[in-house]
Amino acid sequence: MEIRQHEWLSASPHEGFEQMRLKSRPKEPSPSLTRVGANFYSSVKQQDYSASVWLRRKDKLEHSQQKCIVIFALVCCFAILVALIFSAVDIMGEDEDGLSEKNCQNKCRIALVENIPEGLNYSENAPFHLSLFQGWMNLLNMATKSVDIVSSHWDLNHSHPSACQGQRLFEKLLQLTSQDIEIKLVSDVTADSKVLEALKLKGAEVTYMNMTAYNKGRLQSSFWIVDKQHVYIGSAGLDWQSLGQMKELGVIFYNCSCLVLDLQRIFALYSSLKFKNRVPLTWSKRLYGVYDNEKKLQLQLNETKSQAFVSNSPKLFCPKNRSFDIDAIYSVIDDAKQYVYIAVMDYLPISSTSTKRSFSIWKERMLVLQKNKRITASLS
């Protein structure tokens, strides 16, 4: 054991010196190391090639994405353009026989029509106007294309002795349906009318408005549009009593398509509510008002320069640019310079909170006008 240990000790320094000397000498690369280096270099080159290919593919991918974005943006722009085009058409309204503010007729003839109850006689000096019955018959005799009527009452065919004018009017409407003249009628759903049913069987288009569902009210509008040229607006509904026993007053505009352009949109609004039990949250642009108390229609009535606009109520039925009835009344009062004469059938503004508020504002404005402008106010 000791000798072995001594031999190991005497040999270790010498062998260590030889190992150190060998490490300090430059050695030729062995074939195995050469292959390893070549493989390593080849691997690096392959990785570099793969990296370059990946970068080129990434560039192509980004280029494709950019092209997709550009195409998507163009499609969106095209869709927006189409929407704007249709929106512009929508603003112009429905067909309306090509009517527009640029080509409509604003040189109109106007006539007052009234019905004087039987047994009521005025003095010889009292003004005389065309009878309501004759005014309506004149409009129907002029019809060649269409007759649109909104009325709250439809009771023309009655057995009462004074109902002969109503029966003649009913017969004339039946005659028009057989002449391929388009007849459109709007009424309150509460109207149980045999006249409407008979006209519907003959081809007339009848629309019932459920005013009770809309605002717990009733339809009170009364107007006619004939051939998109002539207009009647007044207090009378198609009822035999309005042609004999009631005091009614109205106005007829002849050859006044500019006014028709606006009034037709109210008729279209009523017609759009067919079979609906609620008013839409937003109205179509084709139902927007054309004229209002801010932008009045400039026209000539019997060679006299005039201004006009159509209002509506309730507020629920007033789309953009449509004047509310009470605002129209305020506008007329505010524009008065000499007098305000008012004729109404019912004058009891205590039925609802909104009516009370409107009446108080109305009364306040009348008092201010009387005080500041010395305007004569008369209520009949």
Side-chain angles (χ1 to χ4, degrees):
M1 288 291 297
E2 293 178 355
I3 294 173
R4 291 175 183 173
Q5 185 178 7
H6 176 74
E7 290 177 349
W8 179 83
L9 289 173
S10 62
S12 291
H14 178 75
E15 292 178 358
F17 175 80
E18 290 294 329
Q19 289 177 357
M20 290 178 61
R21 187 173 60 181
L22 289 173
K23 289 180 180 179
S24 63
R25 293 179 182 177
K27 294 184 179 179
E28 294 296 331
S30 63
S32 61
L33 290 177
T34 303
R35 286 194 300 271
V36 171
N39 293 336
F40 176 75
Y41 176 76
S42 175
S43 175
V44 171
K45 293 293 289 182
Q46 289 177 357
Q47 292 177 2
D48 180 63
Y49 173 76
S50 300
S52 62
V53 172
W54 183 83
L55 289 174
R56 285 197 294 270
R57 290 180 178 176
K58 181 179 180 182
D59 291 339
K60 291 182 179 179
L61 180 61
E62 290 179 350
H63 183 67
S64 300
Q65 289 177 345
Q66 291 175 355
K67 290 176 65 177
C68 292
I69 292 173
V70 171
I71 295 173
F72 178 75
L74 290 175
V75 171
C76 290
C77 291
F78 178 75
I80 293 173
L81 180 62
V82 172
L84 289 175
I85 291 174
F86 279 99
S87 177
V89 173
D90 194 32
I91 292 174
M92 295 303 296
E94 292 179 323
D95 184 11
E96 294 176 346
D97 289 347
L99 283 179
S100 68
E101 294 182 67
K102 295 182 179 180
N103 64 9
C104 63
Q105 178 63 261
N106 65 349
K107 294 182 179 180
C108 317
R109 185 167 62 89
I110 186 174
L112 291 176
V113 292
E114 65 176 347
N115 182 71
I116 307 299
E118 296 176 355
L120 180 61
N121 298 317
Y122 287 103
S123 63
E124 295 181 357
N125 297 327
F128 176 78
H129 301 294
L130 187 68
S131 70
L132 176 65
F133 169 73
Q134 192 58 55
W136 281 354
M137 288 298 293
N138 289 346
L139 287 176
L140 295 181
N141 289 329
M142 296 171 67
T144 60
K145 297 179 180 179
S146 63
V147 176
D148 302 335
I149 300 177
V150 176
S151 176
S152 56
H153 299 90
W154 295 85
D155 189 12
L156 297 174
N157 195 12
H158 200 275
S159 58
H160 194 277
S162 62
C164 58
Q165 290 183 335
Q167 292 173 353
R168 289 177 58 187
L169 195 69
F170 174 51
E171 292 171 359
K172 182 62 179 179
L173 287 170
L174 288 174
Q175 179 184 347
L176 292 180
T177 58
S178 63
Q179 296 176 356
D180 294 330
I181 294 178
E182 186 179 49
I183 307 293
K184 294 183 179 180
L185 312 174
V186 175
S187 176
D188 195 290
V189 71
T190 59
D192 184 14
S193 172
K194 295 181 179 179
V195 170
L196 287 176
E197 293 301 321
L199 290 171
K200 187 176 181 180
L201 289 175
K202 291 296 183 177
E205 180 180 326
V206 180
T207 298
Y208 293 97
M209 293 182 62
N210 191 359
M211 293 294 296
T212 303
Y214 303 146
N215 69 336
K216 298 182 180 180
R218 289 188 59 192
L219 178 67
Q220 294 292 339
S221 299
S222 180
F223 63 86
W224 296 31
I225 301 174
V226 176
D227 286 350
K228 305 295 189 293
Q229 293 290 325
H230 319 298
V231 169
Y232 161 80
I233 302 177
S235 61
L238 272 78
D239 185 88
W240 66 272
Q241 292 182 335
S242 295
L243 297 170
Q245 300 182 350
M246 302 290 289
K247 175 68 175 71
E248 305 286 4
L249 182 66
V251 59
I252 294 179
F253 298 85
Y254 299 99
N255 300 313
C256 203
S257 57
C258 285
L259 186 62
V260 169
L261 181 65
D262 198 20
L263 191 61
Q264 185 71 36
R265 298 197 176 189
I266 295 182
F267 188 89
L269 184 148
Y270 291 167
S271 299
S272 69
L273 296 173
K274 187 176 183 179
F275 305 124
K276 295 182 180 179
N277 291 323
R278 63 182 181 86
V279 175
L281 297 178
T282 57
W283 294 105
S284 168
K285 291 181 180 179
R286 62 171 55 97
L287 302 178
Y288 287 4
V290 183
Y291 309 103
D292 57 14
N293 57 343
E294 298 294 334
K295 178 190 174 184
K296 299 181 177 66
L297 168 63
Q298 307 295 324
L299 73 168
Q300 290 187 11
L301 298 177
N302 298 348
E303 305 300 328
T304 301
K305 291 184 178 181
S306 308
Q307 295 180 328
F309 64 95
V310 181
S311 63
N312 200 16
S313 65
K315 188 69 173 180
L316 197 64
F317 285 4
C318 293
K320 185 179 179 180
N321 300 331
R322 175 65 63 205
S323 294
F324 184 34
D325 275 347
I326 193 64
D327 293 331
I329 294 173
Y330 295 158
S331 176
V332 171
I333 295 174
D334 291 341
D335 292 343
K337 294 179 173 59
Q338 295 180 346
Y339 61 85
V340 175
Y341 295 159
I342 302 172
V344 295
M345 184 174 66
D346 293 327
Y347 189 76
L348 191 62
I350 58 175
S351 59
S352 66
T353 303
S354 60
T355 307
K356 290 179 182 178
R357 187 184 304 110
S358 299
F359 171 70
S360 63
I361 298 175
W362 180 18
K363 181 179 179 181
E364 180 182 348
R365 293 195 180 195
M366 292 289 289
L367 293 174
V368 170
L369 286 174
Q370 285 182 287
K371 181 178 179 180
N372 297 340
K373 298 184 178 181
R374 297 181 180 178
I375 289 179
T376 302
S378 175
L379 180 65
S380 61

